[in-house]
Every structure is written in structure tokens, then in C-alpha cells.
Amino acid sequence: FTPMQLCELLADNVALADNGRMATVSSMLGSMSLNEFGGIYAYRASKAGVNAIMKSMSIDLKERGITTVALHPGWVRTDMGGKQADLDIETSVGGMKRVLENLGPADSGKFISYDGSEMAW
């Protein structure tokens, strides 16, 4: 619930910005459509939950001019992702930064990958 609480706490300030944006880091493992191998129940459920929160926030905050999205960082070489992961941290973070910089109202409610592609829910 922390992403939801943070959005609620920050909404007034974000609404004051030109092209205000809110995003949370999710994962493709939270996608129902992309679940092809099962398992990892608690993690999948937490990411599916944050996706639902961000989608709902996009509806609730639309009239206030706030663009709200869930972001997939890719499979990143971290302690969690492991050494075999596809991306280094710099590529993932740089990509998410570019996505955030280019977000507009038409993107609100989307689930977007670090490379700018839209993810399936």
C-alpha cells in the first residue's frame, strides 16, 4: 500500500507541476498476460497489486492533470536479478528516466517498460 499512500500524500504538490507525473517500479512478473511459468506467488501478487493501484490512480488523478504509470525496469543485473540478467543498472535506470521525461497525459494508466514499450497487463 505504500505506493498508494505516497501518491495520495504527494498528489497536491504534483498537481501544481506542469505535466505532473507519478510512477512506481513494478515488474513484468505482475502481468497476468505474460505469466507463462507460474510460481513466485507473493512477488507476482505484490506487483499485480501495485499495477492495479497505479491504474486506478491514473483514473482518480486525471482531472488534476497527473499522469500515472507503472514501470517495468527490465531484467536487471542486481542481487535480485542475478548475474545472468539482460541489463546493467545504468541501461535500466537511463531507460526509465527517458520514459518519465517523455510521459504525457495520453500515457496515463499504462504499464511501460524501461525501453518505452507498453507492457501487457
Side-chain angles (χ1 to χ4, degrees):
F1 294 105
T2 301
M4 178 183 72
Q5 292 170 326
L6 280 172
C7 286
E8 290 171 342
L9 286 171
L10 298 173
D12 289 340
N13 288 331
V14 174
L16 296 173
D18 291 333
N19 195 21
R21 294 161 275 199
M22 289 188 176
T24 192
V25 176
S26 183
S27 170
M28 70 181 289
L29 292 174
S31 169
M32 302 297 168
S33 301
L34 299 175
N35 184 352
E36 297 179 357
F37 58 88
I40 320 170
Y41 298 117
Y43 187 76
R44 284 184 186 281
S46 71
K47 294 308 179 181
V50 82
N51 287 351
I53 288 168
M54 297 311 286
K55 174 62 178 173
S56 290
M57 285 282 175
S58 74
I59 295 164
D60 296 338
L61 298 175
K62 182 179 182 176
E63 288 183 15
R64 298 179 71 186
I66 300 173
T67 299
T68 307
V69 299
L71 287 176
H72 169 56
W75 186 23
V76 186
R77 287 188 294 274
T78 61
D79 289 344
M80 184 177 172
K83 294 179 182 179
Q84 72 281 11
D86 296 332
L87 303 171
D88 59 36
I89 293 169
E90 293 77 14
T91 301
S92 173
V93 172
M96 288 190 293
K97 183 178 177 188
R98 279 187 295 284
V99 167
L100 291 170
E101 289 169 349
N102 292 304
L103 285 178
D107 298 309
S108 200
K110 292 182 178 179
F111 182 18
I112 304 174
S113 182
Y114 77 97
D115 64 4
S117 62
E118 191 169 348
M119 302 289 295
W121 290 111

